[in-house]
Amino acid sequence: MPTQPDHLSITRPDDWHLHLRDGVALAAVLSDTARQFSRAIVMPNLVPPVTNVALAGAYRERILAALPKGMHFEPLMTLYLTETTSPADIADAKASGFIHAVKYYPAGATTHSDAGVRDLARCKATLAAMATHDLPLLMHGEVTDPSIDIFDREHTFIETRLKPTLQEFPELRVVLEHITTRHAVEFVERSSERIAATITAHHLLLNRNHLFTGGIRPHHYCLPVLKREIHRQALLDAATGGNPKFFLGTDSAPHARHAKESACGCAGIYTAHAAMELYAEAFDSVGRLDRLEAFASHHGADFYRLPRNTDQLVLQRRAQRVPQELPFGDDHIVPLRAGEDIAFTLAS
Ligand code: DOR
Ligand code: ZN
């Protein structure tokens, strides 16, 4: 087992799955990500969704305009797949140079997914164009059938949606986003090089008991929902195992406090305030801090065929106390670990 260093210097990481929102929310959260990450794959689930190059270009400009002076950050844009996204939209996206993937939300699966896809069969020509133009498909991997147990929806998605799609489009490259189960880990491991998966910090650190510790915990509610401990262990093995198919994607998803502390609370966990520190804790818990750099800074860039970053990020083994809440426009966000310690701190 490697020793426990008191600091860790790694190639600056990228976040391959991030929600930045828009307007005052964007302004509130952007520097949390830009402080640590050089680039991020920016999710398109705004209202209305980012469905074409013009909307993605305008959103990109708003992100760059919201960046505090002196901070460097490159937003890697995505398009939101709908049943009317055309092969021409895909060709335009590829030609833009700033759109790097297309996001598939099953309609109704999660936050702002109403405009998503009800029947993937209606997207065949568009998926074929994505394969031709080598634009990866990023999948929210859950079925939406209310009769399927919520803890089984990822597994069922893999069997009934993902496998047939991969068979039909043998050239299409796919990222199964924010995987949460042993089944997903095993499926990705067994698949060809064109399949990869992102793993969040919260799914590495929490299991489904954390939803109900001493009462219902809305700030631990996300989708796909937290799973059993055996699944968390499988994710930890995958993330720390050195396999290039697994890479960092925080799925940091800010919601105002009142939207989560509600009779019908929104899905999403905010981790951008201390994402790398949280991942460092997870890797350290199994003595594998030495594998954090590849997971956070190499594998994703290689999959997306982008250059790896060249500057460094330094993490120190020094506890930080997370604030109870963070400003979010006129409201507040309750970040993961609010009021508690994280064992690592970013060196400034
Ligand atoms: O927990 C989640 N929150 N999962 C998602 O898929 C979407 C995200 C959001 O946008 O809030
Ligand atoms: Zn997401």
Side-chain angles (χ1 to χ4, degrees), residues 304-323:
Y304 277 91
R305 299 182 173 149
L306 291 168
R308 295 178 181 180
N309 298 318
T310 50
D311 59 332
Q312 300 279 301
L313 181 83
V314 179
L315 286 156
Q316 289 172 331
R317 187 187 296 280
R318 177 159 54 79
Q320 60 168 300
R321 175 58 54 94
V322 177

Side-chain angles (χ1 to χ4, degrees), residues 19 21 45 110-111 140 178 222-223 251 253 255 267-268:
H19 297 270
R21 313 300 192 209
N45 62 334
T110 186
T111 307
H140 182 108
H178 42 53
C222 63
L223 286 169
D251 199 18
H255 290 276

Side-chain angles (χ1 to χ4, degrees), residues 218-219 221 254-267 328 331-332:
H219 299 290
Y221 174 57
H255 290 276
R257 179 193 275 275
H258 72 83
K260 298 212 34 100
E261 296 176 7
S262 148
C264 187
C266 293
F328 191 56
D331 218 309
H332 293 92

Side-chain angles (χ1 to χ4, degrees), residues 35-36 201 205 270-282 284 315-323 326 335-346:
R35 203 166 47 236
Q36 313 170 57
L205 291 166
Y270 189 71
T271 53
H273 62 295
M276 285 307 299
E277 299 95 310
L278 290 163
Y279 278 108
E281 247 195 41
D284 190 47
L315 286 156
Q316 289 172 331
R317 187 187 296 280
R318 177 159 54 79
Q320 60 168 300
R321 175 58 54 94
V322 177
L326 299 170
L336 187 62
R337 284 289 169 82
E340 296 172 32
D341 283 355
I342 301 178
F344 290 81
T345 302
L346 279 193

Side-chain angles (χ1 to χ4, degrees), residues 17 19 43 103 105 178 251:
H17 184 130
H19 297 270
M43 288 297 126
K103 179 68 189 278
Y105 288 105
H178 42 53
D251 199 18

